[in-house]
Amino acid sequence: GESRPFYTFQPLANRLCYVAGLSWENTYIMTIEKLLGLELSDRTKFIRVILLELQRIASHLVWLSAFSADIGLLTMLVLTFREREYILDLLEHVTGSRMMYNYLRVGGLKNDLPPGFEEDCLRLCDYLEKQFKEYKAILEDSSVFMMRSKGVGVLSREDAINLGATGPCLRASGVKVDIRKLEPYLVYDKINFEIPVKTSGDCLARYKIRMAEMFESIKIIRQAIKLLPSEGEISQRYPKKLPDKEVYVRNEDPRGESAFYIKGNNTAIPYRVKIRSPAYNNLALLPHLLKGQKVADLAAIVAS
């Protein structure tokens, strides 16, 4: 990021997390836009929100497949990837790429939504909602799943705050923090949704938070499609040099708080680029969570 023009780094931002490429792409682009002082059209903002929430569901599905498989429920490994493929099909239809999207642009988007996207997206939401209810029945009626997740890897509210937990791991311990509500960006302040919170802080709570977030994402997508303006610029010209100032922008990634710090120096190449990863913070909890646990529980705790 510190060795190339800022507009050529975007494809690399997708690769920071290969199951949530759009999320990282958006955080990077928003940081550049703030540095340049660009304002987006409402249509651009709503489209970004729709795609980001689709990406959030796809990301949580990968998590759910790995978590379920790690504690012995291999059926979910197949089911979750089936549903994820439908989401990736829709994202590919919009962006032209299956996982490394490179779709957002500084000040807008690469292209507008294709014809029929809204209808396809709403049909997919109806289908996913039905499937997620089935997931809950499969998992929560399983004595093996409950035994291996309930009361395992408990993270207290105090420890979650002191150790820097973020995202679902933080909210599962009773801390109601979500950047989409705390510092609303794009059009999240125009959409009605809840922040799922649990207080038990165990593996089961972390599962329930992510499951609830997928239902909330569906709610967000439906509202965003309903409120989507029919017209609005989706691209704009922007300066090819970054001003000599610094900005810090954070978003709510599927894993928690993601952020970019970028400092310009009146050239196209940023003077400093710093990336904050939520995964790093959450994995740093493990030395604390694994103390006194059984070796068999390590897989569930790490996966959660």
Side-chain angles (χ1 to χ4, degrees), residues 16 28 78 184 213 276:
L16 289 168
Y28 175 73
V78 181
E213 284 185 1
R276 182 196 192 277

Side-chain angles (χ1 to χ4, degrees), residues 235-277:
S235 65
Q236 59 179 290
R237 293 183 178 275
Y238 57 88
K240 291 297 191 288
K241 292 182 180 180
L242 296 176
D244 186 10
K245 61 180 185 178
E246 55 188 358
V247 294
Y248 182 83
V249 171
R250 53 183 184 164
N251 281 188
E252 188 66 34
D253 182 76
R255 282 148 200 77
E257 183 182 326
S258 66
F260 271 88
Y261 162 83
I262 298 179
K263 187 180 189 314
N265 62 346
N266 293 318
T267 70
I269 301 174
Y271 177 66
R272 282 288 179 266
V273 176
K274 170 65 180 173
I275 303 164
R276 182 196 192 277
S277 164

Side-chain angles (χ1 to χ4, degrees), residues 47-302:
I47 291 173
R48 285 192 187 182
V49 165
I50 293 166
L51 299 183
L52 285 170
E53 293 307 316
L54 285 171
Q55 181 75 97
R56 189 180 309 279
I57 297 172
S59 176
H60 279 354
L61 287 173
V62 174
W63 173 83
L64 185 57
S65 71
F67 179 66
S68 302
D70 281 351
I71 59 179
L73 285 152
L74 294 175
T75 304
M76 293 304 295
L77 185 67
V78 181
L79 295 180
T80 49
F81 268 81
R82 179 186 66 188
E83 267 64 87
R84 176 173 174 263
E85 282 302 316
Y86 294 138
I87 297 173
L88 296 191
D89 285 346
L90 201 56
L91 291 175
E92 184 178 9
H93 188 43
V94 177
T95 67
S97 180
R98 185 173 174 273
M99 286 169 64
M100 306 302 173
Y101 306 101
N102 193 23
Y103 171 69
L104 308 183
R105 292 291 182 269
V106 175
L109 309 166
K110 183 173 73 174
N111 52 261
D112 211 330
L113 296 175
F117 171 84
E118 293 94 326
E119 294 78 8
D120 291 342
C121 192
L122 290 172
R123 274 197 299 271
L124 179 61
C125 285
D126 293 341
Y127 169 78
L128 291 174
E129 197 168 48
K130 179 183 174 185
Q131 296 305 113
F132 295 163
K133 289 175 182 176
E134 187 177 303
Y135 287 2
K136 285 172 65 71
I138 291 171
L139 293 169
E140 294 173 29
D141 288 346
S142 166
S143 56
V144 172
F145 180 83
M146 297 301 288
M147 181 174 61
R148 296 204 61 188
S149 61
K150 190 174 183 179
V152 175
V154 175
L155 180 68
S156 70
R157 188 179 193 277
E158 183 181 14
D159 287 337
I161 295 170
N162 290 339
L163 295 171
T166 184
C169 293
L170 181 63
R171 293 187 283 274
S173 296
V175 184
K176 195 172 185 178
V177 171
D178 187 309
I179 306 301
R180 294 172 296 173
K181 288 281 192 182
L182 190 66
E183 295 176 6
Y185 52 96
L186 297 175
V187 287
Y188 282 109
D189 56 340
K190 298 179 181 178
I191 295 174
N192 179 35
F193 65 99
E194 299 299 322
I195 304 173
V197 178
K198 298 291 179 185
T199 55
S200 55
D202 55 4
C203 290
L204 182 62
R206 292 188 277 276
Y207 147 78
K208 286 188 173 182
I209 290 291
R210 290 179 173 99
M211 183 63 76
E213 284 185 1
M214 292 197 289
F215 283 105
E216 290 302 313
S217 289
I218 289 173
K219 187 194 297 184
I220 292 169
I221 292 166
R222 284 174 174 154
Q223 290 179 69
I225 289 175
K226 186 176 180 180
L227 296 170
L228 179 64
S230 57
E231 295 180 352
E233 290 294 325
I234 58 149
S235 65
Q236 59 179 290
R237 293 183 178 275
Y238 57 88
K240 291 297 191 288
K241 292 182 180 180
L242 296 176
D244 186 10
K245 61 180 185 178
E246 55 188 358
V247 294
Y248 182 83
V249 171
R250 53 183 184 164
N251 281 188
E252 188 66 34
D253 182 76
R255 282 148 200 77
E257 183 182 326
S258 66
F260 271 88
Y261 162 83
I262 298 179
K263 187 180 189 314
N265 62 346
N266 293 318
T267 70
I269 301 174
Y271 177 66
R272 282 288 179 266
V273 176
K274 170 65 180 173
I275 303 164
R276 182 196 192 277
S277 164
Y280 184 87
N281 279 49
N282 289 331
L283 287 171
L285 302 169
L286 291 176
H288 172 80
L289 286 177
L290 295 177
K291 286 179 183 175
Q293 300 291 331
K294 296 175 182 176
V295 173
D297 289 333
L298 184 146
I301 295 170
V302 172

